[in-house]
mmCIF file of all heavy atoms in Angstrom:
data_model
loop_
_atom_site.group_PDB
_atom_site.id
_atom_site.type_symbol
_atom_site.label_atom_id
_atom_site.label_comp_id
_atom_site.label_asym_id
_atom_site.label_seq_id
_atom_site.Cartn_x
_atom_site.Cartn_y
_atom_site.Cartn_z
ATOM 1 N N ILE S 927 -1.723 1.326 33.988
ATOM 2 C CA ILE S 927 -2.085 1.149 35.405
ATOM 3 C C ILE S 927 -1.053 1.942 36.198
ATOM 4 O O ILE S 927 0.108 1.568 36.290
ATOM 5 C CB ILE S 927 -2.108 -0.331 35.839
ATOM 6 C CG1 ILE S 927 -3.017 -1.121 34.946
ATOM 7 C CG2 ILE S 927 -2.457 -0.477 37.317
ATOM 8 C CD1 ILE S 927 -2.965 -2.622 35.180
ATOM 9 N N LYS S 928 -1.536 3.052 36.796
ATOM 10 C CA LYS S 928 -0.568 3.955 37.448
ATOM 11 C C LYS S 928 -0.179 3.444 38.825
ATOM 12 O O LYS S 928 -0.988 2.776 39.570
ATOM 13 C CB LYS S 928 -1.215 5.322 37.593
ATOM 14 C CG LYS S 928 -1.537 6.046 36.262
ATOM 15 C CD LYS S 928 -2.174 7.371 36.472
ATOM 16 C CE LYS S 928 -2.415 8.110 35.205
ATOM 17 N NZ LYS S 928 -3.002 9.435 35.369
ATOM 18 N N ASP S 929 1.039 3.782 39.182
ATOM 19 C CA ASP S 929 1.564 3.534 40.545
ATOM 20 C C ASP S 929 1.329 2.084 41.004
ATOM 21 O O ASP S 929 0.888 1.841 42.147
ATOM 22 C CB ASP S 929 0.873 4.491 41.554
ATOM 23 C CG ASP S 929 1.044 5.954 41.113
ATOM 24 O OD1 ASP S 929 2.168 6.281 40.655
ATOM 25 O OD2 ASP S 929 0.111 6.732 41.284
ATOM 26 N N HIS S 930 1.725 1.169 40.156
ATOM 27 C CA HIS S 930 1.567 -0.279 40.523
ATOM 28 C C HIS S 930 2.842 -1.003 40.007
ATOM 29 O O HIS S 930 2.967 -1.188 38.823
ATOM 30 C CB HIS S 930 0.324 -0.848 39.941
ATOM 31 C CG HIS S 930 -0.105 -2.160 40.563
ATOM 32 N ND1 HIS S 930 0.704 -3.297 40.536
ATOM 33 C CD2 HIS S 930 -1.181 -2.506 41.307
ATOM 34 C CE1 HIS S 930 0.107 -4.256 41.139
ATOM 35 N NE2 HIS S 930 -1.063 -3.823 41.673
ATOM 36 N N GLN S 931 3.703 -1.395 40.932
ATOM 37 C CA GLN S 931 4.990 -1.957 40.530
ATOM 38 C C GLN S 931 4.790 -3.300 39.772
ATOM 39 O O GLN S 931 5.468 -3.612 38.805
ATOM 40 C CB GLN S 931 5.866 -2.169 41.702
ATOM 41 C CG GLN S 931 7.323 -2.595 41.388
ATOM 42 C CD GLN S 931 7.999 -1.581 40.525
ATOM 43 O OE1 GLN S 931 7.925 -0.385 40.748
ATOM 44 N NE2 GLN S 931 8.662 -2.036 39.461
ATOM 45 N N GLY S 932 3.868 -4.094 40.231
ATOM 46 C CA GLY S 932 3.588 -5.380 39.604
ATOM 47 C C GLY S 932 3.134 -5.207 38.166
ATOM 48 O O GLY S 932 3.595 -5.912 37.259
ATOM 49 N N ALA S 933 2.280 -4.162 37.918
ATOM 50 C CA ALA S 933 1.806 -3.920 36.544
ATOM 51 C C ALA S 933 2.932 -3.408 35.688
ATOM 52 O O ALA S 933 3.025 -3.737 34.505
ATOM 53 C CB ALA S 933 0.681 -2.920 36.626
ATOM 54 N N LYS S 934 3.837 -2.593 36.286
ATOM 55 C CA LYS S 934 4.981 -2.121 35.516
ATOM 56 C C LYS S 934 5.896 -3.265 35.138
ATOM 57 O O LYS S 934 6.385 -3.328 33.969
ATOM 58 C CB LYS S 934 5.764 -1.120 36.365
ATOM 59 C CG LYS S 934 5.063 0.238 36.565
ATOM 60 C CD LYS S 934 5.951 1.163 37.354
ATOM 61 C CE LYS S 934 5.221 2.504 37.572
ATOM 62 N NZ LYS S 934 6.075 3.463 38.403
ATOM 63 N N ASN S 935 6.069 -4.225 36.031
ATOM 64 C CA ASN S 935 6.905 -5.408 35.745
ATOM 65 C C ASN S 935 6.261 -6.222 34.578
ATOM 66 O O ASN S 935 6.954 -6.729 33.711
ATOM 67 C CB ASN S 935 7.104 -6.251 36.986
ATOM 68 C CG ASN S 935 7.957 -5.552 38.018
ATOM 69 O OD1 ASN S 935 8.717 -4.661 37.704
ATOM 70 N ND2 ASN S 935 7.822 -5.965 39.268
ATOM 71 N N ALA S 936 4.921 -6.371 34.687
ATOM 72 C CA ALA S 936 4.224 -7.154 33.649
ATOM 73 C C ALA S 936 4.338 -6.466 32.270
ATOM 74 O O ALA S 936 4.520 -7.152 31.244
ATOM 75 C CB ALA S 936 2.743 -7.270 34.008
ATOM 76 N N ALA S 937 4.274 -5.129 32.256
ATOM 77 C CA ALA S 937 4.397 -4.401 30.964
ATOM 78 C C ALA S 937 5.794 -4.602 30.396
ATOM 79 O O ALA S 937 5.976 -4.754 29.151
ATOM 80 C CB ALA S 937 4.103 -2.940 31.167
ATOM 81 N N LYS S 938 6.803 -4.596 31.253
ATOM 82 C CA LYS S 938 8.214 -4.797 30.747
ATOM 83 C C LYS S 938 8.355 -6.246 30.200
ATOM 84 O O LYS S 938 9.013 -6.430 29.217
ATOM 85 C CB LYS S 938 9.164 -4.581 31.919
ATOM 86 C CG LYS S 938 9.303 -3.120 32.341
ATOM 87 C CD LYS S 938 10.269 -2.990 33.506
ATOM 88 C CE LYS S 938 10.400 -1.533 33.946
ATOM 89 N NZ LYS S 938 11.305 -1.356 35.094
ATOM 90 N N MET S 939 7.700 -7.206 30.821
ATOM 91 C CA MET S 939 7.730 -8.567 30.301
ATOM 92 C C MET S 939 7.104 -8.642 28.908
ATOM 93 O O MET S 939 7.640 -9.284 27.972
ATOM 94 C CB MET S 939 6.972 -9.510 31.217
ATOM 95 C CG MET S 939 7.638 -9.675 32.611
ATOM 96 S SD MET S 939 6.534 -10.756 33.658
ATOM 97 C CE MET S 939 7.320 -10.472 35.268
ATOM 98 N N ALA S 940 5.973 -7.942 28.756
ATOM 99 C CA ALA S 940 5.267 -7.942 27.473
ATOM 100 C C ALA S 940 6.167 -7.292 26.412
ATOM 101 O O ALA S 940 6.229 -7.745 25.251
ATOM 102 C CB ALA S 940 3.933 -7.170 27.559
ATOM 103 N N ASP S 941 6.879 -6.218 26.803
ATOM 104 C CA ASP S 941 7.742 -5.535 25.829
ATOM 105 C C ASP S 941 8.853 -6.435 25.332
ATOM 106 O O ASP S 941 9.363 -6.338 24.219
ATOM 107 C CB ASP S 941 8.322 -4.250 26.479
ATOM 108 C CG ASP S 941 7.338 -3.154 26.643
ATOM 109 O OD1 ASP S 941 6.290 -3.198 25.855
ATOM 110 O OD2 ASP S 941 7.520 -2.270 27.465
ATOM 111 N N LYS S 942 9.300 -7.349 26.227
ATOM 112 C CA LYS S 942 10.358 -8.283 25.917
ATOM 113 C C LYS S 942 9.867 -9.534 25.190
ATOM 114 O O LYS S 942 10.631 -10.406 24.848
ATOM 115 C CB LYS S 942 11.105 -8.705 27.199
ATOM 116 C CG LYS S 942 11.859 -7.554 27.843
ATOM 117 C CD LYS S 942 12.534 -8.020 29.160
ATOM 118 C CE LYS S 942 13.251 -6.879 29.845
ATOM 119 N NZ LYS S 942 13.912 -7.351 31.109
ATOM 120 N N GLY S 943 8.567 -9.621 24.963
ATOM 121 C CA GLY S 943 8.017 -10.798 24.295
ATOM 122 C C GLY S 943 7.716 -11.923 25.236
ATOM 123 O O GLY S 943 7.376 -13.043 24.762
ATOM 124 N N LEU S 944 7.774 -11.721 26.548
ATOM 125 C CA LEU S 944 7.460 -12.736 27.548
ATOM 126 C C LEU S 944 5.946 -12.748 27.822
ATOM 127 O O LEU S 944 5.507 -12.329 28.880
ATOM 128 C CB LEU S 944 8.268 -12.544 28.809
ATOM 129 C CG LEU S 944 9.785 -12.487 28.636
ATOM 130 C CD1 LEU S 944 10.501 -12.122 29.916
ATOM 131 C CD2 LEU S 944 10.326 -13.832 28.098
ATOM 132 N N LEU S 945 5.177 -13.144 26.859
ATOM 133 C CA LEU S 945 3.731 -13.006 26.907
ATOM 134 C C LEU S 945 3.080 -13.850 28.019
ATOM 135 O O LEU S 945 2.203 -13.380 28.715
ATOM 136 C CB LEU S 945 3.133 -13.348 25.581
ATOM 137 C CG LEU S 945 3.591 -12.497 24.344
ATOM 138 C CD1 LEU S 945 2.804 -12.850 23.098
ATOM 139 C CD2 LEU S 945 3.531 -11.023 24.627
ATOM 140 N N GLU S 946 3.535 -15.067 28.160
ATOM 141 C CA GLU S 946 2.939 -15.952 29.152
ATOM 142 C C GLU S 946 3.217 -15.400 30.544
ATOM 143 O O GLU S 946 2.331 -15.389 31.405
ATOM 144 C CB GLU S 946 3.449 -17.376 29.008
ATOM 145 C CG GLU S 946 2.887 -18.370 30.028
ATOM 146 C CD GLU S 946 1.363 -18.550 29.903
ATOM 147 O OE1 GLU S 946 0.828 -18.339 28.791
ATOM 148 O OE2 GLU S 946 0.728 -18.864 30.927
ATOM 149 N N GLU S 947 4.482 -15.003 30.816
ATOM 150 C CA GLU S 947 4.837 -14.430 32.149
ATOM 151 C C GLU S 947 4.034 -13.154 32.429
ATOM 152 O O GLU S 947 3.570 -12.984 33.499
ATOM 153 C CB GLU S 947 6.336 -14.153 32.179
ATOM 154 C CG GLU S 947 7.200 -15.400 32.143
ATOM 155 C CD GLU S 947 7.507 -15.901 30.724
ATOM 156 O OE1 GLU S 947 6.784 -15.459 29.814
ATOM 157 O OE2 GLU S 947 8.451 -16.697 30.571
ATOM 158 N N ALA S 948 3.905 -12.302 31.385
ATOM 159 C CA ALA S 948 3.121 -11.061 31.628
ATOM 160 C C ALA S 948 1.660 -11.402 31.860
ATOM 161 O O ALA S 948 1.033 -10.772 32.742
ATOM 162 C CB ALA S 948 3.279 -10.190 30.392
ATOM 163 N N TYR S 949 1.118 -12.373 31.143
ATOM 164 C CA TYR S 949 -0.250 -12.777 31.342
ATOM 165 C C TYR S 949 -0.470 -13.249 32.773
ATOM 166 O O TYR S 949 -1.475 -12.857 33.450
ATOM 167 C CB TYR S 949 -0.597 -13.885 30.319
ATOM 168 C CG TYR S 949 -1.815 -14.698 30.735
ATOM 169 C CD1 TYR S 949 -3.086 -14.150 30.586
ATOM 170 C CD2 TYR S 949 -1.686 -15.962 31.231
ATOM 171 C CE1 TYR S 949 -4.228 -14.902 30.958
ATOM 172 C CE2 TYR S 949 -2.800 -16.739 31.615
ATOM 173 C CZ TYR S 949 -4.087 -16.187 31.456
ATOM 174 O OH TYR S 949 -5.186 -16.919 31.834
ATOM 175 N N GLN S 950 0.373 -14.121 33.254
ATOM 176 C CA GLN S 950 0.223 -14.676 34.617
ATOM 177 C C GLN S 950 0.302 -13.564 35.671
ATOM 178 O O GLN S 950 -0.465 -13.566 36.638
ATOM 179 C CB GLN S 950 1.309 -15.736 34.872
ATOM 180 C CG GLN S 950 1.161 -16.987 34.043
ATOM 181 C CD GLN S 950 -0.063 -17.797 34.393
ATOM 182 O OE1 GLN S 950 -0.710 -17.609 35.396
ATOM 183 N NE2 GLN S 950 -0.404 -18.751 33.497
#
Side-chain angles (χ1 to χ4, degrees):
I927 303 174
K928 296 181 179 180
D929 304 322
H930 196 297
Q931 189 58 45
K934 290 182 180 179
N935 293 337
K938 290 179 181 179
M939 294 175 192
D941 288 338
K942 294 178 180 179
L944 304 174
L945 302 185
E946 181 62 28
E947 292 84 345
Y949 161 74
Q950 293 293 344

